[in-house]
Amino acid sequence: MHRTDNLTPRSIGLGLLLGLCIGGTAQANDDEKPMFTFASYGTLALTYSSEDKAEYNSSLLSSGGVGDSQSWGGEVDSRIGAQLTSNLGNDFSAVVQLVFERRYDSSWQPTVEWANVKYQLNPDFKLRLGRIALPNFLDADYRKVAYATPWVRMPVELNNLVPITNSDGLDLNYRQRWGEVQNTIQAAVGTAKIRYPGNGHANVSAIRAISDTLEYGNFKLRLSYSRANLDLDLADDLWNGFRQFGPPGTAIADRYSGHNKRVRFYGIGANYDPGNWFATAEYGRTTPNNFLGDRTGWYVGGGVRLNAWTPYATIAGSSVLSATSDPGLDTRRLPPNAAAVANVLNDSLNYLLQSRGPQRTYSLGLRYDLSRNTDLKFQIDRVVLPNNSAGYLWNRRDDYVPGRAYHVLTFSLDFTY
C-alpha cells in the first residue's frame, strides 16, 4: 500500500485535472457538450483598518491582516480562483476548483476548494461525491466569488460562525416544483480538516448538513442545519495547565477545551431581487460547546441598481450567548507560587473567552460595473464594540483597549472569466 503523507493540494489538484482530461477525452465523440469548460474568478483588494493595536481580518483561517502590522494590505480580501469542469458523458461530470488566497501559514499556495464527480440522474436529482460546498448560507455555492455579491465581503459576523466552506463526502440535491414555486433540498455528509494560524489544526468529522431552499419569482428563502464532531487543538497547553490543579482545573479544561465536542449550526436567510433593487437578510447560530462560545450572527442589507452604479448598505451584528468571562481557579487557598501560576491561567482563559466578543458593523458601499464580468467596489465599515469586547480582532497588543470603535476601508476589483 502506498503512503499518502506527501499529498498536497497542488498534487491532488494536478492529479484530478489529469484524471478529468483522460475521462473527458474518452467521451469526446459521444457527447455534444464540450469536453472541458474553464472558468476563473478573482478579487484584487486593498484594505485599511484604523485600529492600530490589533489585526483585522475577514477569515479566522487566514494569517495576516491590517491594523497593527500594516495600515493597508491586500491579504484580507484578495484571491484568485480557477475551475475546470469536464463532461464525462452518460450523465456524469466532474469539477475541480483551486483557490489562491492568504492561508494560515502566510503562504499563497493553492487549495482545493471543490473536487467532485456528479451524477445527474434526471433534471431534478443529482448526486455528488468528493469535495463539496457546505450548504449553510445563501451564497454557499459562490461564497468566494465576490463578483457574484453586491458587497466587498460577506459580513464577518455571520461568515465566521462557520469558517469552513466545504467537506469531503457525499451530497444529494433534489428539486421539486409546485406551480411557480421551486423547492430544493440539499443534504450532505462528510468530514473536513482545518488549518489555522499558529500551525494548529482541527478535525471535523461526522458532518451532517441539510438545507431547504424555496424560490418563488424574485424571492428566495433558505433554511439550513448542520452538526459535526469537532476536535480542535487550540490552547491545549492552557487546558493541560489547568489539569495540573486537580478536579477544579480538570472541570474547567473539560468545559472549555476544543476536543471531542458536538457542534451545531442553525441558519435562515432570505433574498428579494426584482432587478433594479435588492434586499437580503441572514441569521445564524452556532453552539460549539467550547471556549468559542454559543454565538449568533446576522445581517440585513440592500441596494439600488442605477445603470452601472449600485449603492448599498448593510447592518450586521454578532452576540455571545455564553459567558465571556470566568473566575477560573480559586487562588485564595493556594500557596503563593501556585497562586501566581493559577492567575496566569485565569487571565489566559478570559483572554480567549473575550476573543470572539459581540460587535456591530455599519457598512456603506458603492459598486460600479465596468463590464459584463468586471466591477469596482468601495466600502467603508464602522465596527462598534461594546465595553470589554474585542469583537473579531486578533493579535491584540498589550496596550489594546477593548470596546473602541474603528473603521475599515476597502477598494476592490472583482472579475470572472
Side-chain angles (χ1 to χ4, degrees), residues 192-211:
K193 293 184 181 295
I194 305 172
R195 300 299 298 271
Y196 56 84
N199 203 32
H201 70 278
N203 293 321
V204 186
S205 60
I207 296 174
R208 303 289 186 268
I210 187 168
S211 70

Side-chain angles (χ1 to χ4, degrees), residues 263-312:
V263 181
R264 289 181 172 84
F265 171 78
Y266 310 83
I268 181 172
N271 178 68
Y272 184 74
D273 189 346
N276 57 349
W277 64 277
F278 63 91
T280 185
E282 285 192 80
Y283 170 88
R285 178 181 176 183
T286 183
T287 59
N289 297 309
N290 58 30
F291 67 91
L292 293 173
D294 294 356
R295 292 169 294 139
T296 66
W298 59 269
Y299 73 88
V300 177
V304 179
R305 298 186 179 95
L306 306 171
N307 296 318
W309 299 91
T310 304
Y312 62 84

Side-chain angles (χ1 to χ4, degrees), residues 250-395:
T250 298
I252 293 173
D254 290 345
R255 177 182 178 186
Y256 290 114
S257 84
H259 290 289
N260 302 316
K261 297 296 177 67
R262 174 64 59 88
V263 181
R264 289 181 172 84
F265 171 78
Y266 310 83
I268 181 172
N271 178 68
Y272 184 74
D273 189 346
N276 57 349
W277 64 277
F278 63 91
T280 185
E282 285 192 80
Y283 170 88
R285 178 181 176 183
T286 183
T287 59
N289 297 309
N290 58 30
F291 67 91
L292 293 173
D294 294 356
R295 292 169 294 139
T296 66
W298 59 269
Y299 73 88
V300 177
V304 179
R305 298 186 179 95
L306 306 171
N307 296 318
W309 299 91
T310 304
Y312 62 84
T314 64
I315 302 176
S318 63
S319 60
V320 181
L321 305 181
S322 54
T324 57
S325 64
D326 193 295
L329 293 166
D330 186 351
T331 62
R332 291 173 296 180
R333 297 183 180 180
L334 294 176
N337 290 341
V341 173
N343 282 327
V344 172
L345 295 174
N346 291 341
D347 289 344
S348 299
L349 172 62
N350 282 284
Y351 180 90
L352 274 180
L353 294 179
Q354 294 172 8
S355 294
R356 298 291 173 258
Q359 68 176 44
R360 184 163 295 188
T361 302
Y362 303 87
S363 303
L364 291 175
L366 181 65
R367 169 175 173 155
Y368 178 70
D369 285 276
L370 294 169
S371 65
R372 186 171 56 88
N373 55 6
T374 309
D375 72 52
L376 287 171
K377 292 174 187 169
F378 168 72
Q379 182 170 309
I380 179 170
D381 307 312
R382 177 174 172 81
V383 185
V384 179
L385 302 174
N387 291 335
N388 299 319
S389 174
Y392 280 99
L393 291 171
W394 66 299
N395 275 358

Side-chain angles (χ1 to χ4, degrees), residues 18-29 31 34-36 86-89:
L18 179 60
L20 292 181
C21 291
I22 296 173
T25 302
Q27 297 293 333
N29 297 326
D31 200 316
M35 287 187 300
F36 307 110
S86 175
N87 170 39
L88 305 178

Side-chain angles (χ1 to χ4, degrees), residues 21-156:
C21 291
I22 296 173
T25 302
Q27 297 293 333
N29 297 326
D30 299 327
D31 200 316
E32 296 180 357
K33 295 180 180 179
M35 287 187 300
F36 307 110
T37 303
F38 179 79
S40 64
Y41 63 88
T43 295
L44 302 176
L46 192 61
T47 305
Y48 163 86
S49 172
S50 65
E51 177 53 72
D52 60 359
K53 296 181 179 179
E55 294 284 293
Y56 172 86
N57 207 330
S58 59
S59 171
L60 300 177
L61 306 182
S62 171
S63 66
V66 291
D68 177 38
S69 61
Q70 55 182 350
S71 297
W72 292 87
E75 300 91 344
V76 175
D77 297 294
S78 296
R79 67 173 56 91
I80 300 291
Q83 178 173 307
L84 180 66
T85 303
S86 175
N87 170 39
L88 305 178
N90 297 322
D91 300 317
F92 283 91
S93 62
V95 62
V96 172
Q97 184 181 113
L98 302 180
V99 177
F100 299 78
E101 61 185 347
R102 181 83 165 194
R103 299 182 352 138
Y104 69 95
D105 58 358
S106 300
S107 74
W108 290 77
Q109 293 184 12
T111 57
V112 180
E113 183 68 14
W114 294 353
N116 60 74
V117 176
K118 180 178 73 174
Y119 175 58
Q120 191 79 44
L121 179 64
N122 58 53
D124 296 321
F125 182 84
K126 65 183 179 182
L127 187 68
R128 295 183 295 181
L129 177 66
R131 182 161 295 179
I132 303 156
L134 286 170
N136 292 316
F137 302 121
L138 278 174
D139 64 354
D141 289 334
Y142 51 90
R143 188 170 173 179
K144 292 182 180 289
V145 186
Y147 178 81
T149 63
W151 22 75
V152 166
R153 70 185 72 86
M154 183 178 179
V156 298

